[in-house]
Amino acid sequence: MSFHLPHGEMMITLDNVVCLLHLPIRGTFLDHERINKDKALDMLVEKLGVAPQSALGEIDKTRGCHVRYSFLGQVFMNEIRRAQEDDGDPEQVTIHMRFAIRTYLLYLIGTQIFLDTSATYILFMYLRYFDDFETIHQWNWGLLA
């Protein structure tokens, strides 16, 4: 990524990130691979708790393996509501809260971290990094040389 400033062009390196933001760049490197429509459908159903018909409708609307931010917002609110409705069953509350957290993290990745102002959606490939919340700390976007 480079920035065009009045005095010239400036490039940000991983070393700059470490020094300025104090973000670690150690861990398992993210290996982005494309996923097909069937895998995207399975991920929406299994990882976000979306009904199969709704998931298929979203994939058809976006014509690819990505999901709109507006759809993520609806899924998030639905899962929070469902968690509140199942308040007496801790196991169900945990399931709905995990769906809500994954949804929020996917939204956050697309709107804040990998920001693309021309897009209104995010690719499903990022969702696979939220399979196990216990291992999130192992993933990183760069490696120390």
Side-chain angles (χ1 to χ4, degrees):
M1 176 183 293
S2 61
F3 296 92
H4 298 279
L5 303 171
H7 60 275
E9 189 174 321
M10 180 179 143
M11 179 75 82
I12 295 179
T13 66
L14 288 176
D15 189 49
N16 296 134
V17 172
V18 171
C19 293
L20 297 173
L21 301 177
H22 303 287
L23 292 175
I25 55 171
R26 296 179 197 179
T28 306
F29 189 67
L30 298 181
D31 181 22
H32 303 305
E33 61 183 43
R34 294 257 179 214
I35 57 174
N36 62 30
K37 184 178 177 178
D38 293 333
K39 180 69 174 168
L41 180 65
D42 290 343
M43 289 175 80
L44 264 179
V45 172
E46 294 172 15
K47 309 238 185 296
L48 300 184
V50 177
Q53 304 85 353
S54 181
L56 187 57
E58 179 64 14
I59 291 171
D60 288 342
K61 280 182 187 175
T62 60
R63 296 184 191 142
C65 297
H66 37 271
V67 62
R68 295 172 296 147
Y69 297 129
S70 58
F71 184 78
L72 289 176
Q74 293 170 356
V75 171
F76 178 78
M77 294 307 294
N78 287 341
E79 291 304 321
I80 295 295
R81 181 184 43 77
R82 290 173 71 189
Q84 290 171 343
E85 290 172 357
D86 290 338
D87 194 27
D89 186 353
E91 187 175 317
Q92 286 299 312
V93 170
T94 300
I95 290 170
H96 294 303
M97 292 308 290
R98 285 179 185 233
F99 289 153
I101 290 169
R102 282 190 190 102
T103 303
Y104 182 75
L105 288 172
L106 190 60
Y107 179 85
L108 186 66
I109 292 290
T111 60
Q112 301 300 314
I113 298 174
F114 297 130
L115 181 62
D116 180 0
T117 56
S118 64
T120 58
Y121 57 83
I122 185 168
L123 296 171
F124 281 111
M125 65 183 174
Y126 298 111
L127 188 55
R128 69 187 180 115
Y129 300 116
F130 308 130
D131 279 345
D132 184 3
F133 291 126
E134 300 299 320
T135 62
I136 287 178
H137 70 280
Q138 296 174 358
W139 292 101
N140 221 312
W141 57 274
L143 288 175
L144 272 179

